[in-house]
Amino acid sequence: MKVLVIGGGAREHALCRSLSLDPQVTSLHCAPGNAGIADVAELHPVDAMDGAAVARLATELEAGLVVVGPEAPLVAGVADAVRDAGIPCFGPSREAAELEGSKAFAKDVMAAANVPTSRSYVCTTPEQIDDALDAFGAPYVVKDDGLAAGKGVVVTDDLAVARAHALACDRVVIEEFLDGPEVSLFAVTDGVTVLPLQPAQDFKRALDGDEGPNTGGMGAYSPLPWADPKLVGEVLETVLQPTVDELRRRGTPFSGLLYAGLAITSRGVRVIEFNARFGDPETQVVLARLKTPLAAVLLGAAEGTLADLPSLTWRDDAAVTVVVASHNYPDTPRTGDPIGGLDEIAERDAPEAYVLHAGTRLDDSGTVVTAGGRVLSVTATGKNLAQARERAYEALGRIRLDGAQHRTDIARAAAEEA
């Protein structure tokens, strides 16, 4: 099978890495990719947002499967363009991707499907914003209705901060605060059958102790030793399957990756948000633990044959990933800084620890340099979280990048409790 992956972040590097290890995959391509993905796939300088160009490339390559990684191309309808060209595509249609593209749409779907979530108001005027903030009180949860690369959410006790964020959005969803730990649960679906993956937990705040601004994610781990063993089954029954069934009932079937961001509250599981694609950085740890070859699973979702596949199998190992970010992230990051130590990690830490590239590129001299805010994900596996965590941070210590920042507490509490 020839596979084309669309995107250029650490999520896409994780997907490409897993696909490169799959004996079914005979040829692997990525557009536009990054400096790390170039080691496992042939890169193509195609704009991920240009559906016609992506479909044209897939046709030229005679791809048997296209995997659309990021949310923006999905919301823009890139998967539709690929399917219109007669090529199987892993990723929802533009209409179904509104589950992530509009939080208001997601709330409407959840209400119709009786999926447990927080109470919320959709606001478009200053008066509505003030009424909603007053109704819920602190802590305030304010979400930009549209795509914001994981940074459109503000959770704060400061009314002025909450109001300012709300006023800066064209349309905003203001919700009640959900207590309890957060869990990310992915499911592969063909629009009928729903195949849940293993849960993970990510770390959204920039600084240790969950301080600082929200980011796209600073690290993740899996499994969750503190989670109820029945959690996946419960979420499949009460959240994932009803959502897929409701979208199919509406005539906009969802096929691809359905990501449920969950809060385990004192009143039970509640959905914080849905995403329409693999999450970053959770993908890095979930795929590190997946034993089943990936290509057949993604193709089964694209072709509507998931029910025919055997059950997924998982490694017993734990996995931890730690994100290395550029100077000044999540504000405007500095780019063009050279990155050292990558060869040392490959020589001394692999295969238990390895680096997945996010915001990187090769400069004119062939040096890997920074090209974005989140630069690398250092991922490691081990017999338990403590060992995986130790290996990840040991490998991370070899990286040389001026002004780099990372959290030092990824999976620490879970490893200590396990």
Side-chain angles (χ1 to χ4, degrees):
M1 189 194 311
K2 284 186 180 178
V3 182
L4 169 62
V5 176
I6 302 303
R11 163 187 46 228
E12 288 75 37
H13 194 176
L15 287 164
C16 285
R17 180 182 182 274
S18 289
L19 289 166
S20 74
L21 298 172
D22 187 334
Q24 262 198 294
V25 177
T26 54
S27 179
L28 184 59
H29 302 263
C30 187
N34 62 39
I37 295 174
D39 290 337
V40 293
E42 183 180 342
L43 303 190
H44 302 270
V46 168
D47 181 358
M49 295 294 290
D50 187 338
V54 170
R56 196 159 50 245
L57 173 63
T59 302
E60 289 169 3
L61 293 173
E62 299 181 334
L65 173 66
V66 174
V67 180
V68 182
E71 60 273 24
L74 291 168
V75 172
V78 169
D80 302 87
V82 173
R83 277 190 282 268
D84 288 346
I87 297 169
C89 185
F90 181 83
S93 66
R94 179 186 59 78
E95 288 181 309
E98 277 298 288
L99 202 60
E100 177 169 3
S102 168
K103 293 174 179 63
F105 174 76
K107 287 289 188 183
D108 185 60
V109 170
M110 284 188 268
N114 201 28
V115 168
T117 187
S118 57
R119 294 179 298 125
S120 63
Y121 294 106
V122 180
C123 306
T124 55
T125 69
E127 293 76 23
Q128 290 173 340
I129 287 167
D130 289 338
D131 288 347
L133 291 171
D134 184 57
F136 288 131
Y140 305 101
V141 181
V142 183
K143 299 180 176 181
D144 190 334
D145 180 56
L147 294 179
K151 291 172 275 191
V153 179
V154 164
V155 181
T156 179
D157 289 321
D158 189 321
L159 177 59
V161 171
R163 190 170 189 273
H165 182 65
L167 290 171
C169 303
D170 290 333
R171 187 158 77 149
V172 67
V173 177
I174 296 175
E175 302 181 351
E176 68 174 327
F177 177 76
L178 296 175
D179 64 323
E182 295 185 13
V183 173
S184 300
L185 184 61
F186 302 162
V188 175
T189 178
D190 56 11
V192 178
T193 300
V194 181
L195 208 58
L197 307 186
Q198 289 291 302
Q201 186 174 61
D202 78 330
F203 294 76
K204 286 281 193 290
R205 300 283 189 170
L207 307 176
D208 285 5
D210 291 327
E211 300 288 334
N214 258 357
T215 71
M218 295 300 290
Y221 69 93
S222 180
L224 313 181
W226 48 268
D228 188 329
K230 299 180 191 150
L231 175 66
V232 173
E234 178 188 343
V235 174
L236 175 61
E237 183 180 338
T238 63
V239 173
L240 299 169
Q241 192 70 57
T243 300
V244 169
D245 292 345
E246 171 61 21
L247 286 165
R248 187 174 68 253
R249 186 191 69 77
R250 292 178 178 221
T252 55
F254 187 107
S255 73
L257 196 289
L258 178 58
Y259 165 146
L262 309 165
I264 314 301
T265 77
S266 53
R267 295 171 292 146
V269 175
R270 297 288 185 273
V271 175
I272 301 170
E273 64 175 356
F274 282 125
N275 291 326
R277 39 71 195 181
F278 280 101
D280 184 350
E282 300 99 321
T283 302
Q284 289 86 302
V285 293
V286 173
L287 292 186
R289 299 187 59 225
L290 179 64
K291 201 171 181 180
T292 300
L294 185 60
V297 178
L298 303 186
L299 185 64
E303 295 188 329
T305 57
L306 275 184
D308 301 332
L309 294 182
S311 299
L312 298 179
T313 57
W314 297 90
R315 297 183 179 89
D316 292 333
D317 285 359
V320 172
T321 194
V322 184
V323 170
V324 178
S326 293
H327 175 76
N328 206 39
Y329 179 78
D331 293 327
T332 306
R334 192 172 73 202
T335 60
D337 289 325
I339 305 166
L342 299 176
D343 290 342
E344 292 173 40
I345 294 172
E347 290 167 9
R348 299 174 65 176
D349 302 288
E352 291 81 13
Y354 49 89
V355 176
L356 297 168
H357 290 232
T360 69
R361 64 178 178 83
L362 292 174
D363 69 8
D364 293 340
S365 67
T367 301
V368 179
V369 299
T370 61
R374 290 187 296 172
V375 179
L376 306 167
S377 284
V378 181
T379 305
T381 56
K383 65 182 184 217
N384 52 39
L385 284 174
Q387 186 180 56
R389 188 173 183 279
E390 181 181 351
R391 286 172 171 170
Y393 278 104
E394 185 175 345
L396 187 151
R398 305 192 202 286
I399 291 171
R400 298 182 298 279
L401 173 59
D402 185 47
Q405 54 177 318
H406 67 273
R407 282 184 58 159
T408 66
D409 63 347
I410 303 300
R412 178 192 288 156
E416 289 171 353
E417 291 172 16

